[in-house]
Amino acid sequence: MVREWDPRNASSAEIASLLDTLNAVLATDLPQDPPWRETCMREYLAEVMPGERRISWVAQAEPAADGTPGPILGHVHVLLLGSIGVLEVLVHPTLRRGGLGRDLVLRAARRVYQEGFESIGVEVVGGTPAIAFYESLGFAREYVETRSVLDLSGVDWAELAEMSTGVGAGYHVQFHPGGPPDELIEAYARAKAEIRDVEDGELRPSSYDPQRLRDSLDCLHRRGMKPYIVLALHEQTGEVAGLTEVVVPVQHPTRADQYDTIVVQDHRGYGIDRAIKARMLLELRSAEPQLTEVQTWNAQANEAMLKVNAELGYLPDREWCEYSVDVAELVHRLDNSR
Ligand SMILES: CC(C)(COP(=O)(O)OP(=O)(O)OC[C@H]1O[C@@H](n2cnc3c(N)ncnc32)[C@H](O)[C@@H]1OP(=O)(O)O)[C@@H](O)C(=O)NCCC(=O)NCCS
């Protein structure tokens, strides 16, 4: 049975059951990825940025003879932002190829259409059945990134310490657990607005204005995702010349996610990228002792960033693709194929 579902008032048993399905999917499709934990799972599913909405549906098995609710074996949610709905769908590996994935997408697509949105975007992991699934539904590939993973057990910490000091004169490198301090928010947002080396895809827009940045940090905290920031301050002007952001999610605290890394155009060529990333890893080593890996996403054309990541020891792992589809066409196609 598929029904609309609100994680804010779902039972703890439902949240736990959805987590079991997510972990079964990970074990099947991405066996190297750490399983997720239950901590803050409800908040992860429920919290959104101001102005955004997430609508979810679940597929739940029939209740047992004693009335115990059945497990949640499928899930879809769509995040409505700007003019696009960003979709995520999961089907338990034991139930695949039975049409449930298609059904879940149709539920979400109909709502996105009714809400007046034009397109649906989705992130699809290379080398998993989701590629053939979305292509069969008419989604087109827009953008491909490479996910790379750094295994911290292989890091040469002495060399990293050296890299972290290799920044030109006139810059001051600072570490800020939790996010940039309020007095630097405006300069930080300016650095993000001016230029960015995109380390994450178009479906995860960056925050350029100070209020949006505050909202986005606040939302991360509410979802159980702890941001860490290293920035290079240009001493003469007080401007943020470079920044790098890593998030440690409480749901999988052994593997952190690299977010944006930016070196502002005028400040390139002074070793800032390498130094701030090295400093971040050194700081994380003491701030998050359970951390064993960091993952990052890079555009395949971003050679400078790929070079620094390779020096740090990141190894390419998988393709990470963005697909999109026109909502009206998708609804039409799915309705006609029933
Ligand atoms: C992608 C996913 C949702 C598909 O669910 P599903 O219920 O198996 O999909 P459906 O049965 O509705 O399949 C619809 C069509 O997609 C295509 N398709 C789906 N899986 C496929 C596969 N493994 N190989 C080839 N085609 C496939 C087929 O055309 C299929 O139609 P058919 O079975 O009539 O030939 C499911 O595999 C899944 O949950 N994957 C994980 C998604 C994810 O988010 N991963 C990220 C974290 S790991």
Side-chain angles (χ1 to χ4, degrees), residues 196-271:
R196 63 198 194 110
D197 276 327
V198 182
E199 287 224 14
D200 57 353
E202 298 304 308
L203 301 183
R204 284 172 279 157
S206 208
S207 302
Y208 302 138
D209 73 78
Q211 192 48 47
R212 180 114 185 121
L213 184 56
R214 283 192 191 95
D215 289 344
S216 136
L217 288 161
D218 190 46
C219 182
L220 280 175
H221 283 290
R222 281 185 277 117
R223 297 181 84 200
M225 302 161 84
K226 184 163 184 195
Y228 288 93
I229 279 157
V230 171
L231 52 84
L233 214 54
H234 185 227
E235 287 164 1
Q236 203 183 337
T237 57
E239 285 298 308
V240 170
L243 60 94
T244 189
E245 308 168 331
V246 168
V247 168
V248 180
V250 72
Q251 296 86 6
H252 53 90
T254 60
R255 184 184 285 202
D257 298 323
Q258 172 80 55
Y259 280 37
D260 280 349
T261 297
I262 296 166
V263 178
V264 175
Q265 193 71 41
D266 287 352
H267 303 285
R268 296 195 173 180
Y270 298 98

Side-chain angles (χ1 to χ4, degrees), residues 51-229:
E52 294 178 358
R53 272 186 304 149
R54 188 186 288 114
I55 312 175
S56 309
W57 292 259
V58 289
Q60 187 164 20
E62 293 303 317
D66 66 358
T68 313
I72 289 182
L73 299 171
H75 177 244
V76 62
H77 67 229
V78 64
L79 183 67
L80 299 174
L81 44 96
S83 63
I84 186 172
V86 179
L87 186 88
E88 273 187 52
V89 57
L90 284 180
V91 170
H92 196 285
T94 55
L95 280 187
R96 289 183 179 174
R97 296 307 289 272
L100 179 56
R102 197 192 279 121
D103 255 23
L104 289 166
V105 170
L106 178 58
R107 292 281 178 138
R110 277 199 188 124
R111 177 65 68 82
V112 174
Y113 183 61
Q114 283 162 10
E115 299 270 351
F117 286 75
E118 277 170 21
S119 63
I120 289 185
V122 63
E123 282 191 8
V124 190
V125 185
T128 73
I131 297 276
F133 172 71
Y134 286 109
E135 289 183 353
S136 82
L137 301 184
F139 283 68
R141 188 180 285 210
E142 302 287 348
Y143 191 68
V144 185
E145 292 182 314
T146 302
R147 180 178 76 167
S148 304
V149 180
L150 175 66
D151 175 356
L152 294 177
S153 69
V155 166
D156 180 339
W157 295 101
E159 195 185 317
L160 208 70
E162 197 152 315
M163 273 189 196
S164 75
T165 59
V167 65
Y171 294 99
H172 181 55
V173 176
Q174 303 179 345
F175 171 61
H176 296 290
D182 212 55
E183 66 273 15
L184 283 179
I185 284 270
E186 300 216 345
Y188 194 89
R190 269 197 299 281
K192 284 184 79 111
E194 184 168 333
I195 188 100
R196 63 198 194 110
D197 276 327
V198 182
E199 287 224 14
D200 57 353
E202 298 304 308
L203 301 183
R204 284 172 279 157
S206 208
S207 302
Y208 302 138
D209 73 78
Q211 192 48 47
R212 180 114 185 121
L213 184 56
R214 283 192 191 95
D215 289 344
S216 136
L217 288 161
D218 190 46
C219 182
L220 280 175
H221 283 290
R222 281 185 277 117
R223 297 181 84 200
M225 302 161 84
K226 184 163 184 195
Y228 288 93
I229 279 157

